[in-house]
């Protein structure tokens, strides 16, 4: 039997028109979108299908939109009765909440409300304590950690690794001036490219500490069940099965790096040879290819590819 893992993307995978074909083709997916409309008290379907992009890209809307599209794709696949289900689930950043819904550890309604509040808190943190993020291509994580440490020592401002996405693609996060200096040093040390991301927040960094404190209170008030299969957590790159462990890892996630490379490698070491991505695009499928080309990769962004 082929061991599979189900993957769920985070922010950056959204686009106007996402989920429309799922909604049209699969009644079970349509029901997920309609349920989200009711829970949120707004037309998420119109926002996903028609935009405008500016509203869809507002983190307050982006996170529930991606979760809904991901769960809709999952329900469509489940209805087809294809395969034996996953051995593990994992999600990139806010995608962890989609993964927990998939593993029956979190209800769809609770997941939707949590990511809506997560988006609100992150936006608020960015307004109160602005920062930025940048993708660095062509340098490994150790080199970037050394660069960030050097910049922090010389400037007294924070910059550090936010996402270890795959070999040669690491995202850093922090104060604007420190971020620019780290990008300069990365280029000087041979980075192929440095790209400032179009965000005014420093996600997965100490800049999110206040948001994380408030978010932990929401997590404590939310019911989590032991997942049907282990969640491989961003914060630890290890499998979690206990509800309290999951709650704690989600609380750490806003301020700690996304350990995506290590998470995928850990699953491969456990025998996973097939990764199925549920989301608006094929972002994680591409990252998985760069981590290990030998594994099978399926993206459900194009519903015609649903197995």
């Amino acid at each position: 039997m082929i061991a599979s893992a189900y993957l769920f993307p985070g922010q950056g995978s959204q686009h106007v028109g996402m989920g429309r074909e799922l909604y049209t083709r699969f009644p079970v997916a349509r029901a997920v979108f309609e349920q989200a409309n009711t829970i949120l008290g707004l037309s998420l379907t119109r926002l996903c299908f028609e935009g405008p992009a500016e509203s869809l890209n507002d983190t307050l809307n982006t996170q529930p939109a991606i979760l809904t599209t991901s769960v809709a794709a999952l329900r469509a696949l489940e209805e087809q009765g294809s395969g034996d289900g996953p051995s593990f689930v994992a999600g990139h950043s806010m995608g962890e909440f989609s993964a927990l819904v998939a593993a029956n550890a979190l209800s769809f309604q609770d997941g939707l409300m949590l990511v809506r509040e997560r988006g609100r808190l992150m936006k608020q943190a960015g307004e109160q304590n602005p920062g930025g993020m940048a993708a660095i291509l062509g340098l490994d994580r150790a080199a970037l950690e050394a660069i960030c440490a050097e910049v922090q020592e010389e400037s007294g401002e924070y910059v550090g690794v936010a996402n270890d996405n795959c070999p040669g693609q690491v995202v850093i996060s922090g104060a604007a001036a420190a971020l620019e200096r780290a990008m300069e040093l990365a280029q000087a040390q041979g980075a192929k490219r440095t790209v400032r991301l179009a965000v005014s927040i420093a996600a997965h960094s100490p800049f999110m500490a206040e948001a994380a404190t408030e978010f932990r209170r929401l997590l404590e008030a939310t019911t989590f069940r032991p997942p049907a299969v282990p969640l491989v957590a961003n914060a630890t790159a290890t499998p979690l099965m206990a509800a309290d462990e999951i709650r704690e890892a989600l609380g750490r996630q806003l301020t700690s790096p996304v350990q995506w490379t290590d998470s995928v490698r850990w699953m491969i070491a456990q025998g996973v040879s097939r990764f199925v991505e549920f989301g608006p695009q094929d972002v994680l499928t591409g990252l998985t290819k760069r981590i290990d080309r030998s594994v099978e990769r399926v993206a459900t962004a194009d519903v015609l590819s649903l197995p």
Side-chain angles (χ1 to χ4, degrees), residues 162-178:
N163 304 335
D164 180 3
N165 286 334
C166 66
Q169 186 187 123
V170 178
V171 175
I172 59 176
S173 180

Side-chain angles (χ1 to χ4, degrees), residues 6-14 18 62-71 73 90-99 115 118 234 253 258 260 276-285 287 298-301:
Y6 286 0
L7 307 181
F8 298 85
Q11 284 186 241
S13 59
Q14 73 275 6
M18 68 184 198
T62 305
Q63 298 196 29
I66 292 172
L67 185 143
T68 299
T69 303
S70 296
V71 172
H92 191 286
S93 192
M94 64 94 0
E96 275 198 330
F97 295 87
S98 308
V115 298
R118 184 178 184 272
N234 287 182
Q253 192 208 69
V258 174
W260 192 252
V276 185
E277 178 178 0
F278 296 89
Q281 297 195 62
D282 57 357
V283 174
L284 301 182
T285 304
L287 297 182
V298 178
T300 61

